[in-house]
Amino acid sequence: MGSREIKSPEDMLETPASLEVDGRSRKKLGVFFIESDNRRTAFGRGYTGGTTPVDIHGKPIADLSKTGGWIAALFIFGNEMAERMAYFGLSVNMVAFMFYVMHRPFSSSSNAVNNFLGISQASSVLGGFLADAYLGRYWTIAIFTTIYLAGLIGITLCASMKIFVPNQDQCDQLSLLLGSCEPAKPWQMLYLYVVLYITAFGAAGIRPCVSSFGADQFDERSKDYKTLLDRFFNFFYLCVTIGAIVAFTLVVYIQIERGWGAAFGSLAIAMGVSNMLFFAGTPLYRHRLPGGSPLTRVAQVLVAAFKKRHVPFTRSELVGLYELPGRHSAIKGSGKIPHTDDFRCLDKAALQLKEDGGNPSPWRLCTVTQVEEVKILVKIIPIPACTIMLNVILTEFITLSIQQAYTLNTHIGKLKLPVTCMPVFPGLSIFLVLCLYYSVFVPVSRRITGHPHGASQLQRVGIGLFISILSVAWGGVFERFRRGYAIKHGYKFSFLTPLPDLSAYWLLIQYCLIGIAEVFSIVGLLEFLYEEAPDAMKSIGSAYAAIAGGLGCFAASIINSIVKSVTRNPENKQQSWLSQNINNAKFDYFYWLLTVLSIINFCIFLYSAHRYKYRTEQTFEAWETKQNILAEES
């Protein structure tokens, strides 16, 4: 397949006739905009643009064999493992810390942690923006991982120094239950929230960049690129899982044996060590040049399209769709993107008129590649949006299932497992599934789907969403049994007293199911966003997944508040479904509500996934369209 140059406006002498929008000639709009960079895609068909790896000084790397690859990725994995260890260590322990040490109610503690989780993920778009626009992924990680460490040190000081916590004297379990312990002073809670949100801010800068920066270490021109990328994201999430397992076991053990200060201090030490390893790998990293402000480019397309909204494609003053001639894009760090027929209203931004002159303003005329960037960002939104409900379930399980576990027997023989260790089981199920993924799932599913990797990215997301429905439905079934058992045996008002004959390991079913759902949905989503996002917007693309996670946390808080408000009736002394006394609440009703919402969300995903076309498919179709048109014209 030869080079297919994008025609310059000077070459398009009969362009207006080719820009008709009705009938057979509708597709001729894209004939001038097939990518010219002869770079084979991972799927082995068509050609797509790429970016040239550079060193830390922004200069092209002469010998790629001395940089990148799995060795460079290992240094990056270490940073992500420590970040996830701190993230999960805070998420599972902070609720208990606020309840037992700061003397805050379970409900407000859960909401505070949900908000922390939400902000740390939803604000990831800031880190993605800085990485893609100005700093690059390496420097963004370097800066925000230092901020993260500062926040963890602040939390450690809060848990270690008596001045930052209320008086703990004469505060036993009964006093906690009755709410008679001395509450934390406003300034003490303010300090805790400040350092907690500094930590969240640090996480927001790291999260959208780490997976993309790791994937940047592999050569997209390699014939094994798709396989390497697929294995990279699975191994990446395996490191995430190991960090979570350590947080749910070792950190909890340190807290029990050495106290809260030592537990949070271990997280700070782990982050400090990972930072040193990350910087030690600097000579090995491959970098991608930041492409300038992506938000500015998006705004330019929207403004230009609005200004020319009334200009028809058949107008005689048209010169054509604007694109730079030759093989290079106007956007640093980005190859050219072929024209597509999606969102044709945005194509108005690239309509070049004679009145635009020879040096048009970017706020009036944009290149086809710039317009296609915006189209891609819009097209992929429904997919991560459909994972918000999965993140709602994950958030609810972190907090609500801990309350369930407090009422159950957590003994394994003579060994008593701490309640805060219970979330380790989703991590263990994820670890097991990832270890068996290539030896079991891929061969079996390949026979069913015919896909070389067992399932496409969207199919994996769909499998995960379906399994999450089973998880939350089982949660409702078991909670109905647990509550009935507690009431039957006289524990209706003793919600902090474990039921001696009812094992907490019934929770393992919902834990393991949600863990499997995570493997398929989140790993598939990360790979999907990295491959589908524009070259100069990879970090923002990855931030979509974190934003979905953050919105899931916020949505969980909103749903909780609505349910509490609607189901509580003070006049009849009716407690809400999410009453602090879990034995008198209706957690089972709440889980079934989440099941219904998850089914609706799954149906929306099926519709969105069915309509979605991968970029490589559109590139291939665009090339075929051009060949057909050229054949007809000849």
Side-chain angles (χ1 to χ4, degrees), residues 165 220 480 603:
V165 298
E220 64 183 15
R480 186 174 183 84
C603 293

Side-chain angles (χ1 to χ4, degrees), residues 267-583:
L267 300 179
I269 293 172
M271 179 57 69
V273 172
S274 75
N275 287 359
M276 290 188 290
L277 290 176
F278 176 77
F279 291 122
T282 299
L284 300 175
Y285 298 145
R286 297 175 184 176
H287 305 260
R288 303 295 174 99
L289 293 173
S293 172
L295 298 185
T296 301
R297 296 200 301 274
V298 170
Q300 288 172 342
V301 170
L302 297 179
V303 170
F306 180 78
K307 287 181 178 179
K308 294 181 179 178
R309 64 191 182 280
H310 298 306
V311 178
F313 288 111
T314 55
R315 181 172 168 175
S316 59
E317 290 83 1
L318 282 175
V319 176
L321 289 181
Y322 179 67
E323 181 60 278
L324 295 184
R327 303 164 66 89
H328 300 289
S329 167
I331 303 168
K332 185 188 297 184
S334 174
K336 285 181 177 177
I337 304 176
H339 176 269
T340 64
D341 285 325
D342 299 315
F343 303 107
R344 291 174 67 86
C345 59
L346 294 177
D347 285 330
K348 298 291 183 73
L351 283 179
Q352 186 176 17
L353 307 177
K354 293 178 181 178
E355 63 195 56
D356 289 328
N359 188 24
S361 166
W363 293 94
R364 180 171 177 81
L365 182 64
C366 305
T367 65
V368 168
T369 294
Q370 190 175 340
V371 172
E372 291 300 322
E373 275 190 331
V374 180
K375 290 183 182 181
I376 291 170
L377 290 181
V378 175
K379 283 190 293 186
I380 64 179
I381 285 176
I383 304 304
C386 287
T387 64
I388 292 175
M389 196 62 219
L390 171 65
N391 287 286
V392 169
I393 297 173
L394 289 169
T395 303
E396 299 291 7
F397 275 176
I398 287 177
T399 54
L400 299 183
S401 62
I402 291 294
Q403 286 182 256
Q404 289 178 290
Y406 271 114
T407 70
L408 300 171
N409 181 1
T410 59
H411 282 84
I412 303 179
K414 294 183 179 180
L415 176 65
K416 186 180 188 303
L417 189 69
V419 169
T420 47
C421 280
M422 293 303 293
V424 73
F425 291 103
L428 292 175
S429 65
I430 292 172
F431 185 86
L432 180 62
V433 171
L434 287 173
C435 291
L436 299 177
Y437 185 82
Y438 291 104
S439 60
V440 177
F441 173 76
V442 172
V444 173
S445 58
R446 185 188 292 132
R447 296 178 182 177
I448 300 173
T449 64
H451 194 279
H453 301 284
S456 68
Q457 296 150 4
L458 292 181
Q459 285 173 339
R460 279 182 276 166
V461 174
I463 291 171
L465 293 180
F466 177 76
I467 295 175
S468 72
I469 296 173
L470 301 180
S471 173
V472 74
W474 168 258
V477 171
F478 174 71
E479 172 56 22
R480 186 174 183 84
F481 173 78
R482 188 210 61 80
R483 182 167 56 86
Y485 186 93
I487 294 174
K488 180 180 178 181
H489 290 80
Y491 288 89
K492 184 174 183 178
F493 301 104
S494 303
F495 66 94
L496 289 180
T497 303
L499 302 170
D501 298 324
L502 188 59
S503 174
Y505 299 103
W506 283 103
L507 293 173
L508 263 60
I509 297 177
Q510 66 198 55
Y511 277 145
C512 292
L513 286 174
I514 199 63
I516 295 170
E518 260 197 281
V519 170
F520 285 99
S521 281
I522 305 303
V523 175
L525 179 65
L526 288 173
E527 186 177 342
F528 168 81
L529 292 173
Y530 182 81
E531 288 204 23
E532 295 298 299
D535 291 332
M537 295 185 178
K538 296 292 187 186
S539 297
I540 285 187
S542 297
Y544 273 18
I547 292 172
L551 292 177
C553 295
F554 289 131
S557 294
I558 293 172
I559 292 173
N560 289 353
S561 298
I562 293 174
V563 168
K564 288 177 183 178
S565 176
V566 172
T567 60
R568 183 172 179 269
N569 190 341
E571 295 180 0
N572 297 335
K573 297 183 178 180
Q574 178 181 323
Q575 297 294 320
S576 74
W577 289 359
L578 298 178
S579 170
Q580 181 161 295
N581 181 353
I582 186 175
N583 293 338

Side-chain angles (χ1 to χ4, degrees), residues 56-324:
I56 194 172
H57 304 294
K59 298 179 181 179
I61 300 173
D63 187 0
L64 290 177
S65 64
K66 296 181 179 179
T67 62
W70 287 108
I71 295 178
L74 287 175
F75 287 95
I76 300 170
F77 287 149
N79 187 264
E80 177 62 12
M81 192 182 302
E83 190 274 324
R84 293 285 86 185
M85 176 180 165
Y87 177 82
F88 287 110
L90 291 176
S91 65
V92 73
N93 287 299
M94 191 53 67
V95 174
F97 179 75
M98 287 187 177
F99 180 74
Y100 287 106
V101 179
M102 306 304 285
H103 306 155
R104 305 290 297 176
F106 257 127
S107 57
S108 63
S109 299
S110 297
N111 284 337
V113 173
N114 285 349
N115 291 335
F116 158 73
L117 299 177
I119 290 174
S120 69
Q121 297 188 77
S123 57
S124 294
V125 68
L126 173 63
F129 169 77
L130 291 175
D132 287 338
Y134 305 111
L135 300 177
R137 287 184 265 281
Y138 172 84
W139 286 112
T140 303
I141 296 172
I143 293 171
F144 281 88
T145 197
T146 305
I147 295 173
Y148 202 131
L149 178 59
L152 289 174
I153 292 173
I155 293 174
T156 303
L157 292 177
C158 179
S160 303
M161 302 176 67
K162 292 183 178 181
I163 190 175
F164 292 115
V165 298
N167 188 1
Q168 305 297 313
D169 296 337
Q170 298 179 346
C171 185
D172 54 16
Q173 189 176 63
L174 180 61
S175 300
L176 284 170
L177 181 62
L178 298 175
S180 59
C181 292
E182 177 185 326
K185 296 180 177 64
W187 73 266
Q188 291 173 330
M189 290 305 302
L190 177 62
Y191 173 81
L192 178 59
Y193 285 141
V194 168
V195 293
L196 194 60
Y197 290 128
I198 287 175
T199 306
F201 183 66
I206 299 172
R207 188 168 295 115
C209 301
V210 176
S211 61
S212 298
F213 189 50
D216 288 344
Q217 306 310 310
F218 299 95
D219 187 359
E220 64 183 15
R221 293 168 294 184
S222 169
K223 64 179 181 180
D224 298 326
Y225 176 67
K226 174 58 182 174
T227 300
L228 290 172
L229 204 63
D230 183 68
R231 291 183 179 273
F232 164 78
F233 280 105
N234 277 280
F235 194 71
F236 173 83
Y237 210 71
L238 184 63
C239 291
V240 171
T241 303
I242 293 173
I245 291 173
V246 173
F248 295 141
T249 53
L250 180 60
V251 176
V252 171
Y253 174 79
I254 293 174
Q255 184 270 314
I256 294 173
E257 294 295 324
R258 300 294 181 183
W260 292 102
F264 294 138
S266 66
L267 300 179
I269 293 172
M271 179 57 69
V273 172
S274 75
N275 287 359
M276 290 188 290
L277 290 176
F278 176 77
F279 291 122
T282 299
L284 300 175
Y285 298 145
R286 297 175 184 176
H287 305 260
R288 303 295 174 99
L289 293 173
S293 172
L295 298 185
T296 301
R297 296 200 301 274
V298 170
Q300 288 172 342
V301 170
L302 297 179
V303 170
F306 180 78
K307 287 181 178 179
K308 294 181 179 178
R309 64 191 182 280
H310 298 306
V311 178
F313 288 111
T314 55
R315 181 172 168 175
S316 59
E317 290 83 1
L318 282 175
V319 176
L321 289 181
Y322 179 67
E323 181 60 278
L324 295 184

